[in-house]
Each structure stands twice: as structure tokens, then as C-alpha cells.
């Protein structure tokens, strides 16, 4: 399968910043569509259900069908390398392992704990449901290397059973969660928290730069900011719930005009594990009407490609600052059999935030436009215009 490579540079450590190159591949949805299989839309916010961590060995993962940006880590001694999705919408680290022999696992690199001198098992198991299947695994401890950062005694999940077909075409071997430890399944200490407790970072922050249009250069940085990847001022806003990277949204504008839809307050989860911008269901139809989008028989909302430049700019008011999304940001162009199609990179979510306020999800559609900085010391998020 042909893949788009978004970055081919080396990991660098400069002035305390560790840079992890991210590669852009076709998503599971794109790969399955080429095989004539159309995945139904699934609400990304199912990932954030309030009951998802009611059991100590339960972890929910959903809607990775559209994700495209992955990077390399290694586990064990000597190191075994894996491509993982760096996900701000979950907290655990897991990878495929030799204990799993399903088709989905066999299509990926598997961790072999028997070949690592630093591995130790802890006997705890986990169950991880997702859209059209599920994954079972067991927890253990080992050395994990992220760029040049070496984390000792990091708890990892090893898959033991991965039924279903969706992950067969996935390009990642596992997921590295970057959200808060309060949502970690099984009480596992997240990778970022071990980096902090082991004093491995010059500053307790990480930042994402996602390049546009399949261009090279997508990067995840730990321990500092890369001033070459953004321009202008950083706009900071506090985290409203130390679970996910959740923030408040005070207003929503269409072509600079306030709609009043968030006048009583909205919430947004900033999630690198979701590719789309996701709007509250009660607002979604109004947004599609403002855009002039029509629903196709695949369920996607389409627009006339010749009119993209005339579509409205959508803006979010966050801590008093309006952050705009031009139509070029939220319209995806796709070519098939010599024809051009333009579909809207916005989907609905039917679940409110835990506070009851309408919930947005700022996925990759938003994050390609803004360099995003995640500050654990001050529990705040920063946005600056991407370079």
C-alpha cells in the first residue's frame, strides 16, 4: 500500500527540546475505502464516555479510523521499534505483541518481551473496546525510549487478542496516550508523567506541529517549544478538566459574526487522535447549512469544489481571542478516478461534556492550523498560528 510520508528527518535534541518526527499515512478509512469497504460514521466522543474507566482494567478507545499521523518509539533492551499514534485523547501506552496471533496483530510489528532483558510482567489484564471489534491485553513494565528520552520501568499494555478487520490496514502498531493520569486504565502511569517524575524534561510541556496538505515536517516536541514552527503570539487558556486536554469555548463565529451558540459556554477536547473537527449535534445542521454542504450517500457532507474559496470562515473564541478556520482548513479535497470531490472535515458528536455543556472536539482539522502546546506544570493549553 502506497503511503504519504510527511517527514523524513532525524530526531534532534537542541536546547532541551526532543523532536519526534511524525509520518503521515493513509487512514484506515481511506485504505478500506480503496478495498470497497465503507466504514460507517461513529461519534468520536464515545471515546470520552463518563463510565469508560469504571473498571480498573477497562480502557476505551474509539474513532482511530481517520487518524494519519504516527511516530516511532522503542521498547525493551535491546530496543524494539514501533510506530505509535501519539494521542492526547487517551492516557495509556499499548502495542501489539507476540501473545496475539489474529490477522490484525500479524499485520504489525509485535513486541517480544522474551527478547528484552528489562521486561517484567505484572499479571494485570485489560479489555479495550473500539468501533467494530475489541482488543484484549496484559500489562507489563519495560524501558521505553521516545526520541532520545529513556523512561525506566514504564508500564505498557501488550495485546493478546485483536479480533476484527479494521486494524488490519492500520499503519500504527500501538497508541501512546498523552492525557492526564486520572483517565488511565488500570492505574497505569502515563509516559508523560514518568518523564516528569524521572526529571527527563527541561520543561514539563509537549507540543504538536501537524503540516498541511501532506507536506513534510510534522513534529511532536517534548520539553520545549520550537519557535520555527509557529508565528505570532501564543494564546493560553486553562484546562477545565484534568482528564483529557479539555478547554472552555466562549463563542463561535461565522464570517466574524457571533452566533450565540456558545453564549452559555461550550467545552472542547483537544485530541490528536481524532482527525476531524467535531461539532455538538444540536449545532451541526446549522453549520452544514451555513457552509451549503449536502450529504452524500456515503454519509459525508460534500460541497462544490469550485465554491470552496467562497465558503465562510469559522472562528472559536477562546479566552477572549478568536481563532479562525478558513474553508481551506475544514474542506478536504479527494481525487478518485479522475474526479475531484470536496467534503467537509466536520462531523457531529451527540454527547455533551461532563459539565453538561455542548462539546466540540478539536482534531487534526483544527490542529493543522495551530501549533498546540500542552503545559502540565500550569495545566493550560497554548495555540499559535502554525508556520
Amino acid at each position: 500500500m502506497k503511503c504519504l510520508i510527511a517527514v523524513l528527518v532525524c530526531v534532534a535534541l537542541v536546547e532541551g527540546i526532543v523532536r519526534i518526527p511524525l509520518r503521515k499515512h493513509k487512514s484506515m478509512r481511506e485504505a478500506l475505502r480503496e478495498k470497497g469497504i465503507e466504514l460507517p460514521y461513529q461519534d468520536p466522543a464515545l471515546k470520552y464516555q463518563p463510565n469508560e474507566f469504571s473498571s480498573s482494567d477497562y480502557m476505551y478507545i474509539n474513532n482511530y479510523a481517520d487518524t494519519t499521523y504516527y511516530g516511532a518509539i522503542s521498547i525493551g533492551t535491546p530496543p524494539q521499534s514501533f510506530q505509535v499514534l501519539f494521542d492526547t485523547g487517551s492516557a495509556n501506552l499499548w502495542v501489539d505483541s507476540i501473545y496475539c496471533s489474529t490477522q490484525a496483530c500479524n499485520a504489525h510489528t509485535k513486541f517480544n518481551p522474551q527478547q528484552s532483558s528489562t521486561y517484567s510482567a505484572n499479571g494485570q489484564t485489560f479489555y479495550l473496546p473500539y468501533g467494530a471489534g475489541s482488543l484484549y491485553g496484559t500489562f507489563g513494565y519495560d524501558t521505553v525510549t521516545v526520541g532520545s528520552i529513556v523512561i525506566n520501568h514504564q508500564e505498557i499494555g501488550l495485546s493478546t487478542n485483536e479480533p476484527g478487520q479494521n486494524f488490519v490496514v492500520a499503519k500504527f502498531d500501538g497508541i501512546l496516550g498523552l492525557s492526564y493520569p486520572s483517565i488511565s486504565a488500570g492505574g497505569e502511569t502515563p509516559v508523560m508523567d514518568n518523564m516528569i517524575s524521572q526529571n527527563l524534561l527541561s520543561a514539563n510541556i509537549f507540543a504538536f506541529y501537524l503540516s498541511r496538505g501532506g507536506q513534510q515536517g510534522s513534529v511532536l516536541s517534548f520539553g520545549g517549544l520550537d519557535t520555527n514552527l509557529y508565528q505570532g503570539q501564543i494564546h493560553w487558556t486553562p484546562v477545565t478538566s484534568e482528564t483529557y486536554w479539555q478547554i472552555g469555548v466562549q463563542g463561535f463565529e461565522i464570517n466574524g459574526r457571533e452566533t450565540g451558540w456558545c453564549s452559555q459556554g461550550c467545552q472542547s477536547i483537544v485530541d490528536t487522535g481524532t482527525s476531524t473537527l467535531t461539532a455538538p449535534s444540536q449545532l451541526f445542521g446549522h453549520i452544514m447549512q451555513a457552509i451549503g454542504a449536502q450529504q452524500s450517500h456515503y454519509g459525508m457532507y460534500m460541497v462544490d469544489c469550485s465554491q470552496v474559496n467562497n465558503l465562510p470562515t469559522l472562528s472559536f473564541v477562546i479566552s477572549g481571542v478568536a481563532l479562525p478556520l478558513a474553508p481551506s482548513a475544514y474542506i478536504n479535497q479527494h481525487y478518485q478516478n479522475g474526479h475531484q470531490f470536496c467534503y467537509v472535515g466536520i462531523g457531529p458528536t451527540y454527547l455533551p461534556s461532563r459539565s453538561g455543556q455542548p462539546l466540540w472536539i478539536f482534531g487534526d482539522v483544527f490542529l493543522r492550523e495551530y501549533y498546540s502546546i500542552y503545559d502540565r506544570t500550569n495545566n493550560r493549553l497554548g495555540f499559535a498560528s502554525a508556520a
Side-chain angles (χ1 to χ4, degrees):
M1 184 181 300
K2 185 178 179 182
C3 298
L4 296 174
I5 306 301
V7 84
L8 287 173
V9 297
C10 297
V11 176
L13 176 60
V14 180
E15 296 179 350
I17 304 174
V18 176
R19 297 177 176 88
I20 313 300
L22 302 179
R23 294 185 174 187
K24 188 176 190 299
H25 292 281
K26 288 181 180 176
S27 69
M28 287 190 285
R29 189 180 302 277
E30 290 172 323
L32 288 170
R33 184 174 293 149
E34 290 181 353
K35 296 176 179 291
I37 302 170
E38 190 66 34
L39 288 179
Y41 178 80
Q42 191 162 33
D43 187 347
L46 290 174
K47 181 179 176 181
Y48 318 124
Q49 288 187 97
N51 297 329
E52 62 193 296
F53 302 108
S54 56
S55 170
S56 63
D57 60 354
Y58 182 83
M59 175 168 55
Y60 200 96
I61 178 176
N62 203 348
N63 199 52
Y64 294 109
D66 296 295
T67 54
T68 55
Y69 297 94
Y70 318 122
I73 66 168
S74 64
I75 302 173
T77 308
Q80 302 172 43
S81 183
F82 304 91
Q83 288 288 321
V84 297
L85 167 65
F86 291 95
D87 179 24
T88 59
S90 66
N92 292 77
L93 168 62
W94 68 268
V95 293
D96 289 316
S97 81
I98 61 167
Y99 301 133
C100 180
S101 58
T102 63
Q103 185 181 3
C105 288
N106 290 340
H108 295 95
T109 302
K110 300 181 185 181
F111 177 62
N112 186 346
Q114 300 166 9
Q115 294 181 356
S116 174
S117 62
T118 46
Y119 177 80
S120 61
N122 74 0
Q124 185 180 3
T125 60
F126 66 87
Y127 168 62
L128 187 159
Y130 57 88
S134 55
L135 181 146
Y136 299 81
T138 184
F139 284 121
Y141 297 92
D142 211 334
T143 301
V144 173
T145 303
V146 181
S148 59
I149 304 170
V150 179
I151 306 126
N152 294 314
H153 201 63
Q154 172 64 49
E155 191 168 12
I156 56 176
L158 309 181
S159 66
T160 57
N161 184 20
E162 192 175 329
Q165 295 294 309
N166 290 3
F167 276 26
V168 173
V169 297
K171 288 297 179 181
F172 55 86
D173 308 309
I175 293 174
L176 192 155
L178 289 165
S179 64
Y180 283 84
S182 60
I183 63 166
S184 175
E188 176 186 319
T189 302
V191 168
M192 183 65 182
D193 288 80
N194 275 328
M195 288 183 182
I196 293 171
S197 65
Q198 296 177 26
N199 297 313
L200 301 176
L201 302 174
S202 56
N204 297 330
I205 63 175
F206 60 92
F208 276 90
Y209 172 81
L210 301 182
S211 58
R212 306 178 183 91
Q215 298 298 308
Q216 297 182 0
S218 298
V219 175
L220 164 59
S221 304
F222 286 96
L225 309 183
D226 191 329
T227 56
N228 295 318
L229 298 179
Y230 68 91
Q231 53 193 0
Q233 183 179 352
I234 298 172
H235 303 289
W236 294 100
T237 191
V239 169
T240 56
S241 174
E242 293 177 23
T243 49
Y244 305 97
W245 287 94
Q246 183 173 312
I247 60 175
V249 177
Q250 294 79 45
F252 178 69
E253 302 174 351
I254 298 178
N255 272 344
R257 298 183 64 179
E258 176 56 54
T259 62
W261 296 341
C262 287
S263 60
Q264 300 301 311
C266 292
Q267 296 287 304
S268 180
I269 292 173
V270 182
D271 187 357
T272 57
T274 296
S275 68
T276 57
L277 172 70
T278 303
S281 59
Q282 62 267 43
L283 308 182
F284 179 75
H286 298 296
I287 296 171
M288 292 303 101
Q289 184 177 10
I291 292 173
Q294 301 293 323
Q295 190 172 18
S296 73
H297 65 282
Y298 283 130
M300 296 185 297
Y301 283 80
M302 314 294 292
V303 297
D304 183 342
C305 293
S306 67
Q307 297 298 311
V308 169
N309 292 334
N310 298 323
L311 298 181
T313 295
L314 310 178
S315 301
F316 297 90
V317 179
I318 299 171
S319 291
V321 177
L323 301 180
L325 283 182
S328 58
Y330 64 80
I331 298 297
N332 297 311
Q333 298 188 30
H334 178 68
Y335 293 88
Q336 187 173 355
N337 300 325
H339 298 284
Q340 183 185 27
F341 301 91
C342 292
Y343 60 95
V344 183
I346 305 173
T349 181
Y350 298 92
L351 295 177
S353 65
R354 296 185 182 187
S355 67
Q357 292 179 318
L359 178 68
W360 299 79
I361 302 173
F362 291 173
D364 296 345
V365 164
F366 181 90
L367 295 172
R368 277 191 287 267
E369 300 303 305
Y370 293 96
Y371 186 69
S372 55
I373 306 127
Y374 306 75
D375 182 350
R376 281 291 301 272
T377 297
N378 299 294
N379 293 314
R380 60 180 183 169
L381 256 164
F383 299 107
S385 297

